[in-house]
Amino acid sequence: MPMKTGIKKIDLQGLVTLALFVAMDIVLEKISFGPSTVKVGLGFIGSALLGYYFGPLWGGIGALISDLLRSAIFGVEGGFFPGFTLSAIVGVVIYALFLYQKPIKWWRVIAATLLVTLVVNVLMNTYWLHLLYGLDLRAAFLQRILKELITPWIQIVVLYVILNAFQRVKIRR
């Protein structure tokens, strides 16, 4: 009698689609605009799409692969640190919890984006920087707070528009 593991299997087409979204995430992560104090990167789009199309499990695996490949291909300033890989996975899982197999609504996009901003960007990434560089946590929070008060609102609008466009595209999951 076969054991049920509860893990949703992915077929070849799903795996190829996941690889495409991983590649897109890697490229989008390298694109940003704005002044250095409030620089807005486009990596959140790839993370949200991984969560939206693949859910927490496969989206999280995609985030893991994406982060490892990005580090291997482009290198990482200061060296590779697994905490940021964990942040990438948690971000995709949060997006998936709000967006996977659900209709795109403003409140879902706002809640997911604000939760990623708070949990991943403000708490986790600031703590990783503290561990890596010995930064004072209070100073690091204060330095990041301006950006984290502005960028989520830009991300919410961009994400809502993009997810609505992608919602019309029928990609088999």
Side-chain angles (χ1 to χ4, degrees):
M1 179 171 182
M3 262 177 76
K4 276 206 88 87
T5 60
I7 296 176
K8 184 179 174 189
K9 291 186 179 184
I10 191 167
D11 62 2
L12 181 60
Q13 182 178 357
L15 198 57
V16 170
T17 307
L18 180 64
L20 179 67
F21 277 80
V22 164
M24 185 170 41
D25 184 49
I26 291 170
V27 171
L28 287 171
E29 190 69 41
K30 298 301 286 178
I31 301 171
S32 61
F33 57 91
S36 61
T37 52
V38 192
K39 189 170 282 194
V40 178
L42 299 181
F44 71 95
I45 297 170
S47 296
L49 289 174
L50 279 168
Y52 174 71
Y53 276 107
F54 295 99
L57 176 66
W58 288 105
I61 291 170
L64 170 73
I65 294 167
S66 175
D67 191 73
L68 294 176
L69 284 175
R70 184 175 27 259
S71 298
I73 294 168
F74 298 110
V76 179
E77 188 176 321
F80 174 77
F81 180 68
F84 291 115
T85 303
L86 180 61
S87 290
I89 294 167
V90 169
V92 170
V93 168
I94 290 171
Y95 281 122
L97 293 175
F98 283 91
L99 303 172
Y100 181 59
Q101 295 183 337
K102 295 179 175 80
I104 302 304
K105 303 282 185 196
W106 275 107
W107 74 267
R108 290 184 195 284
V109 176
I110 291 169
T113 303
L114 292 179
L115 202 55
V116 168
T117 298
L118 179 64
V119 172
V120 176
N121 299 349
V122 173
L123 296 176
M124 292 176 74
N125 289 348
T126 304
Y127 184 68
W128 303 144
L129 292 172
H130 164 72
L131 286 181
L132 279 172
Y133 303 112
L135 298 176
D136 176 52
L137 272 176
R138 175 178 268 166
F141 278 122
L142 291 174
Q143 183 180 19
R144 296 172 65 94
I145 199 72
L146 176 65
K147 177 185 184 233
E148 300 306 338
L149 286 173
I150 296 171
T151 56
W153 305 106
I154 298 167
Q155 292 174 348
I156 287 166
V157 172
V158 170
L159 204 52
Y160 184 80
V161 170
I162 288 174
L163 287 173
N164 269 302
F166 269 83
Q167 193 174 25
R168 293 183 198 104
V169 177
K170 300 298 178 206
I171 297 178
R172 250 189 50 213
R173 297 179 197 182

